[in-house]
Every structure is written in C-alpha cells, then in structure tokens.
Amino acid sequence: MDTTFCISAWNTLVQQLVLTFTEPTMRTWQQIALGWVLHRGPATVTGIFRTLGKLADRHWTVYHKFFYRAAWSLETLSAYLTANVIGPMILASGQIDPITGRPVADLNIDDTTAGRYGRHVAHAGWFKDASATGPATQGTVIHWAHNWIVGAITLRLPHWKQIRWVLPAVFTLYRKKADCDRAHPFATRQVLAARMVCQVATALPGMHLRVAADGQYATRDMVMGLPEGVSLVSRIRRDAALYDLPPKRRKPGQRGRPPTRGKRLPTPQQIAARRRKGWKTIAVRRQGKQVRRRVLGITCLWYHVCRTVPIRMVIVRDPAGRQEDDFFFCTDATVPDTQIVQRYYDRWGVEECILEAKQQMGFESTRGWCSRTVNRQAPLAMVLVTLVKAWYAKCAIEEPSLLPEPTPWNPHKIQPSFLDMLAALRR
C-alpha cells in the first residue's frame, strides 16, 4: 500500500475546507478532523485530544474553544464541502439531464433526533424518534434530544456501479417556538428544508438540482420555497384533493377571470382502486435490489400545496401484492414516472448515512451544551462521513489493498460498508 498517497489524499480533502476558518483555527480544524476519525468511542473533545497524543501541540482548551468561540460558520463550511468535495464527484458520476444538458445533483432531505442528557443543553426538547417505533420499543419513543434536518447528495460513480454514495452536505438544527427569539425567529422544518435547498443550489451553480423528501415536507412552504428549476419528489396524501388541469379555451359567452383549476378528481386512493387501464410495469432499484412495480401516472393539480403548478402523481403497486400501494408526486409534470419512483426509492440513502454518523462517527454522543457548540459539533460528524467516503472513492481505485477482504461468514463480500472505509482510513 502506498501510504504516502493515501495520507496525502486525505489531507487534500481536509484542506478543501480550510477557507472556512481563520489561519489559527485552520490548524485546529486539521487536527480535530484527524483525531476524530482515529478516535473510537464518544465524540468528546477530550477523547479526540487524547487520541491525538503528541500531535496535539496546543493547549487542550483550544480544541474546546474551536466549537464555542472560534470564528467560523457551519453554513460556510457546508458550502465549501458541497462545492469543493461533492461537486467534483457529481461531475465524475457523469449523470447529465437530457433536457438542460447540465450535470444532475440529487439532494435527499430527512430529519433525525440525536438523544442528549441534561436540562441545560441548549435547544434540546422532547421529540419523537420515528425510527424507534415497533414491538421492540413498546410503541412510540419520545426522548430528550436535538432535532436535526440533514440534506445529503446521492450519486453513483462509474467505478462503483453497485454502490449508492450518500454524502451529507447541509445541516440545520430545528428549534421549537419556545426556544426562539428575535435573533433566531421560529421556522418550521419545511421552511428550513427549503432554505437548505437554496444553499445547495447556490453552492452548485450550473447543475440541475433534484430534491426528494418524505411526506412531511410535501407542504406549500416547501414547494413555494424551492429555487427556480428545482423539482421535488415526495409522498402525496392518500386523500389529497386533486383537480384536473384548467380548460385551455373559454366557453362561448363565459365572463370573469379564467378558471385556475378544472373539475375535482377522485382522491389518489380512489383512483388506485377504480382505475383499470393505463398501468405499466417498470423496473427500479430499491435498497440495492432490482424490483418490478406497476405504476399509474396522472398529470393534475394539487391546488392546496402546489397551486396552479401541474404535478405528476404516480401510484406504485407491488405486483406480488405484499406491499401496500405508494403514492408519489413530482412538482415537474414532465419527469418520467420511472424516474419519480427511482428518486424516491433513492431517498432511503439519507437514512443510512444518518445511521452511519450515529454509530461510527459519534453524531449522537457529543457533550457540548452551549448554543454555539450545539450548532457546530454534531454536524462535524456528518462532514467527516462525507470526507471519509470521498477519500475512499478516490483511493480504493488506485490501491486495491483498501478493498474489503472476504470473511468466513461472508466469503463473497466485494462491496465495502462505511465501517470498511473508516477502518481503511484508520489503518
């Protein structure tokens, strides 16, 4: 293994973000990034400091001050991460929009809770952990936590055809109304998500941005807050009030302003139960497997959310009948049905990258409690997830020794997990 090449590649990625910081803070950032990926256990500053050992050539309080006092912005850090680290990977993926001719960037958005302890932890509150429901948890889990909204770029690279690379790019902490003030006015998750989309669109000029999110983001605030030319794929309500497109011609003698919508259509659930014609079979990838689905696409208006902008609603049915019908929509009615379904299925990758950040990078085990530390420390775990993946995608092609070796319990393993990538970097 050419360790010089591998270490140099990692240092280059870390230095892509140094313009976020001042000169003294830049050096601290480089040491924290190194200590964080090498450290095993909770992502505490003291743990990172002890892992660095003699490499930590500054007083231990300097590393604490990096989070609560140093002059740097998480939004600026996300912008440099998106433009300088993720941007070249998007170009390397080779995915081009056939209409605009621009490179395609898929942004998937979801929120998660990060459990915390202590009443004095800034911006913590009681939040529902939607991923912890079921028989094992005896119902819904509501715990004292932070609520983070995460946006991740999803792409596939030519040399890694079986891997869906999910790269966290933007992060926002949701605050309840009681935790807001004049300096930080209250904003819903949907408004915050729309702002995150604008941040990514600004960091990736000249790219065709496509967004996917779950059903809670299918609101007017989210749709109307999207930049021009950006489409959203999400779930639509089963009982949504749909309308036909307005007639193109006025009736003879009709007076008044032109109608903004046509006649009322049945709900998506009623359409799925009644419609027999127009279904077609497609093949898509779902969680790494090729599956077949029956789909029915309809162009209509969802006036309550999208107003007069036509949407493409797609009803997705499992031919085997083992799963219930799904109902998706896209704010761009010209997008093919197969692409809408695939974009929503690829959204699951953001759930996986959140799990990776929690289990391997200490996203949920930070100990800071003041406002600036809370808003900065946990997202760095997500930033490092992206850096580790970007490093591995580049180096493992040049150094086959970084690829995972078969194990007795999985002799046919050829695709690396995030833990394999992190272990290779640590070695």
Side-chain angles (χ1 to χ4, degrees):
M1 180 191 301
D2 187 354
T3 55
T4 302
F5 166 75
C6 295
I7 295 174
S8 175
W10 169 256
N11 290 334
T12 300
L13 286 172
V14 173
Q15 289 171 2
Q16 293 291 337
L17 309 181
V18 296
L19 293 179
T20 306
F21 312 100
T22 61
E23 186 173 351
T25 309
M26 171 186 67
R27 189 167 146 209
T28 307
W29 150 247
Q30 293 172 327
Q31 293 180 351
I32 286 179
L34 175 62
W36 200 316
V37 297
L38 293 177
H39 177 62
R40 298 172 183 265
T44 61
V45 176
T46 51
I48 294 171
F49 180 81
R50 295 185 67 179
T51 300
L52 285 171
K54 295 181 179 180
L55 294 177
D57 56 358
R58 314 182 77 180
H59 195 267
W60 63 272
T61 57
V62 174
Y63 302 91
H64 281 281
K65 292 176 182 177
F66 175 81
F67 294 104
Y68 73 82
R69 183 179 293 181
W72 61 276
S73 165
L74 178 63
E75 184 175 338
T76 305
L77 179 67
S78 297
Y80 280 110
L81 178 72
T82 305
N84 299 339
V85 177
I86 302 178
M89 297 181 70
I90 295 174
L91 297 177
S93 69
Q95 188 174 4
I96 304 295
D97 183 72
I99 299 177
T100 62
R102 297 183 296 173
V104 173
D106 284 307
L107 176 66
N108 300 324
I109 294 176
D110 199 6
D111 64 277
T112 184
T113 58
R116 294 302 305 269
Y117 298 97
R119 293 285 181 177
H120 299 290
V121 176
H123 317 312
W126 294 105
F127 292 98
K128 174 185 175 182
D129 186 357
S131 64
T133 59
T137 58
Q138 302 298 320
T140 301
V141 171
I142 298 178
H143 62 152
W144 187 255
H146 288 132
N147 189 200
W148 286 95
I149 305 172
V150 180
I153 299 290
T154 300
L155 50 87
R156 288 183 169 87
L157 298 173
H159 295 290
W160 306 93
K161 296 183 179 180
Q162 300 300 319
I163 297 181
R164 177 183 56 194
W165 296 88
V166 185
L167 310 169
V170 285
F171 329 94
T172 300
L173 181 65
Y174 169 74
R175 302 186 188 184
K176 294 186 175 182
K177 289 184 178 179
D179 205 22
C180 295
D181 51 27
R182 186 175 299 178
H184 193 286
F186 174 75
T188 63
R189 294 181 182 89
Q190 294 76 24
V191 171
L192 294 174
R195 293 175 185 172
M196 291 167 60
V197 175
C198 294
Q199 292 178 27
V200 175
T202 303
L204 297 175
M207 293 193 183
H208 180 70
L209 186 61
R210 308 186 305 194
V211 182
D214 63 13
Q216 75 162 314
Y217 295 95
T219 65
R220 190 184 307 172
D221 289 338
M222 177 69 174
V223 172
M224 298 304 171
L226 295 176
E228 184 178 358
V230 176
S231 62
L232 169 69
V233 168
S234 183
R235 270 200 168 98
I236 190 171
R237 293 173 58 100
R238 294 170 179 264
D239 59 349
L242 302 180
Y243 294 86
D244 202 354
L245 300 182
K248 296 182 179 180
R249 295 183 179 181
R250 299 168 62 91
K251 297 180 181 179
Q254 184 178 6
R255 304 178 65 180
R257 66 183 180 88
T260 58
R261 49 188 169 178
K263 64 179 182 178
R264 175 71 181 269
L265 299 177
T267 65
Q269 193 168 20
Q270 292 172 340
I271 294 175
R274 299 174 185 176
R275 190 71 64 91
R276 296 291 180 265
K277 297 182 179 180
W279 294 84
K280 59 182 180 181
T281 303
I282 63 172
V284 291
R285 295 189 64 85
R286 187 172 187 267
Q287 298 184 12
K289 297 181 180 180
Q290 193 85 3
V291 297
R292 303 184 73 82
R293 291 291 184 264
R294 298 274 293 166
V295 298
L296 174 65
I298 299 172
T299 300
C300 56
L301 295 179
W302 190 11
Y303 191 79
H304 178 70
V305 173
C306 301
R307 292 307 189 193
T308 58
V309 178
I311 67 167
R312 183 69 175 177
M313 184 194 68
V314 181
I315 303 172
V316 184
R317 177 168 294 171
D318 181 6
R322 289 189 291 266
Q323 298 178 350
E324 293 185 354
D325 291 349
D326 270 330
F327 302 87
F328 305 145
F329 82 99
C330 181
T331 55
D332 183 356
T334 63
V335 176
D337 298 342
T338 303
Q339 185 185 122
I340 294 174
V341 178
Q342 187 63 69
R343 282 170 59 180
Y344 191 85
Y345 282 168
D346 283 345
R347 188 201 67 85
W348 182 253
V350 70
E351 302 273 6
E352 297 173 346
C353 80
I354 290 173
L355 182 64
E356 293 164 353
K358 287 183 176 182
Q359 290 187 342
Q360 311 300 336
M361 299 305 298
F363 176 76
E364 204 171 16
S365 63
T366 57
R367 294 292 185 265
W369 60 271
C370 71
S371 180
R372 296 190 76 179
T373 300
V374 163
N375 279 280
R376 291 172 164 185
Q377 191 172 5
L380 278 191
M382 291 282 186
V383 172
L384 291 170
V385 168
T386 297
L387 293 180
V388 171
K389 291 183 177 181
W391 172 84
Y392 191 87
K394 178 180 179 180
C395 292
I397 297 298
E398 304 291 337
E399 292 292 336
S401 60
L402 297 177
L403 296 173
E405 297 180 358
T407 59
W409 54 89
N410 190 3
H412 305 292
K413 180 176 182 178
I414 56 175
Q415 301 300 338
S417 65
F418 176 73
L419 186 56
D420 293 322
M421 301 177 192
L422 184 58
L425 177 59
R426 285 170 173 167
R427 287 197 303 268

